[in-house]
Amino acid sequence: MGNQMTEMLKGTLEGIVLTVLTARSAYGYEITAQLRERGFSDLVEGTVYALLVRVEQKGLVDVEKVPSEKGPPRKVYSLNAQGRRQRDEFWGTWNALSERIERLHSDVDLTHDKGE
Amino acid sequence: MAAKWIEALTGSLEQKKQYRQAQARIKALPEPYSTAANAFNRYFMVYGGVTDGDTIVQMVLDSADLWERAAVDRTSVSDIVGEDPVDFAETFAQAYVGKQWIDKERARLLAAVDEAKRSEGQ
């Protein structure tokens, strides 16, 4: 993943993960897999895991430990009321930001860029 | 060495027990997970600047969970840490917003800036 993509994703991954959890509860790997299917192809599991630790500490998700056939129980994350509010706020912010950036892009005619 | 100062910091016997158990789980991991997990734990401690026992124990327990899971699922180390292991470690550690030494300094900075603003207003 390019550096710019990584940097931009960093600020938005929380909203993205909270959105993925809207449809149904999931454990870490399921979330990563779903995002990869949706084109976030270079997303590493650890990034999502670290993010999940954060949203858990912030109280945006509820966590249930589900026994697994091997190894430690899997932590299943589900969105709670606070997480829903955070998700909605994310989309509000995202829409406002992308609109502003788009407007900037269309106002500045890049085809006439005379710079080096 | 790390184990010694950790004992000085962590309060209860229960905390110490949990911390040791988490460390033992990490030691028991197959390679290369054990090496990776140990390296990250060391970094978490130094970078995290976390000074309360509960938070340290939680961080090490979660780390043990992560690496055990990875070992069982055979997720590769690079799938866990990505291209930038430092960034992974710091993102992970930042999630534990326990009492940190930096909190005191932040409070001091804010108070100083408030003071500066006040004198500006006069």
Side-chain angles (χ1 to χ4, degrees):
Chain A
M1 191 162 15
N3 198 25
Q4 194 174 51
M5 181 69 103
T6 311
E7 285 303 313
M8 285 195 187
L9 265 184
K10 204 180 279 177
T12 53
L13 194 60
E14 182 182 296
I16 291 169
V17 167
L18 294 177
T19 302
V20 167
L21 288 174
T22 300
R24 63 184 186 89
S25 314
Y27 59 87
Y29 181 71
E30 290 177 320
I31 296 168
T32 313
Q34 278 189 47
L35 286 172
R36 282 186 185 147
E37 270 171 36
R38 288 176 180 276
F40 297 87
S41 48
D42 296 319
L43 198 61
V44 299
E45 217 179 317
T47 307
V48 172
Y49 188 90
L51 192 275
L52 286 169
V53 168
R54 191 170 89 214
V55 296
E56 182 184 350
Q57 302 285 323
K58 283 166 85 177
L60 306 177
V61 291
D62 294 330
V63 180
E64 197 195 343
K65 286 193 170 183
V66 176
S68 83
E69 59 302 345
K70 279 190 293 176
R74 289 185 194 277
K75 279 176 154 183
V76 174
Y77 299 86
S78 52
L79 203 57
N80 61 26
Q82 211 183 323
R84 282 191 191 89
R85 277 196 298 276
Q86 181 78 5
R87 174 204 61 196
D88 294 344
E89 208 182 307
F90 165 76
W91 285 108
T93 309
W94 173 258
N95 289 333
L97 182 63
S98 66
E99 194 186 306
R100 235 172 286 163
I101 294 174
E102 272 305 321
R103 207 182 316 138
L104 173 71
H105 191 197
S106 56
D107 286 354
V108 179
D109 188 353
L110 299 179
T111 58
H112 287 92
D113 184 8
K114 300 233 167 49
E116 295 284 290
Chain B
M1 188 192 75
K4 265 187 189 153
W5 70 255
I6 213 89
E7 280 181 28
L9 286 172
T10 55
S12 70
L13 273 174
E14 184 55 31
Q15 271 179 355
K16 286 178 193 173
K17 209 172 91 191
Q18 283 183 319
Y19 179 81
R20 285 205 199 97
Q21 279 170 352
Q23 290 292 54
R25 283 167 59 196
I26 285 168
K27 211 178 249 179
L29 286 167
E31 290 298 352
Y33 300 101
S34 189
T35 299
N38 263 312
F40 279 105
N41 272 12
R42 186 194 156 85
Y43 194 83
F44 294 156
M45 294 303 157
V46 179
Y47 174 81
V50 181
T51 51
D52 78 306
D54 279 339
T55 309
I56 291 172
V57 168
Q58 193 56 52
M59 190 155 72
V60 179
L61 280 173
D62 285 349
S63 177
D65 284 348
L66 168 70
W67 291 105
E68 276 180 354
R69 198 68 257 168
V72 170
D73 296 339
R74 299 193 180 272
T75 309
S76 70
V77 171
S78 52
D79 265 347
I80 296 293
V81 309
E83 282 170 17
D84 189 349
V86 173
D87 186 66
F88 166 73
E90 296 185 356
T91 308
F92 188 96
Q94 277 165 12
Y96 297 88
V97 285
K99 292 181 210 110
Q100 299 184 6
W101 63 268
I102 195 75
D103 292 344
K104 266 188 216 161
E105 287 306 317
R106 283 185 182 131
R108 185 180 292 193
L109 175 65
L110 291 177
V113 173
D114 277 348
E115 181 63 36
K117 281 187 198 159
R118 252 199 309 279
S119 64
E120 215 172 26
Q122 280 161 9

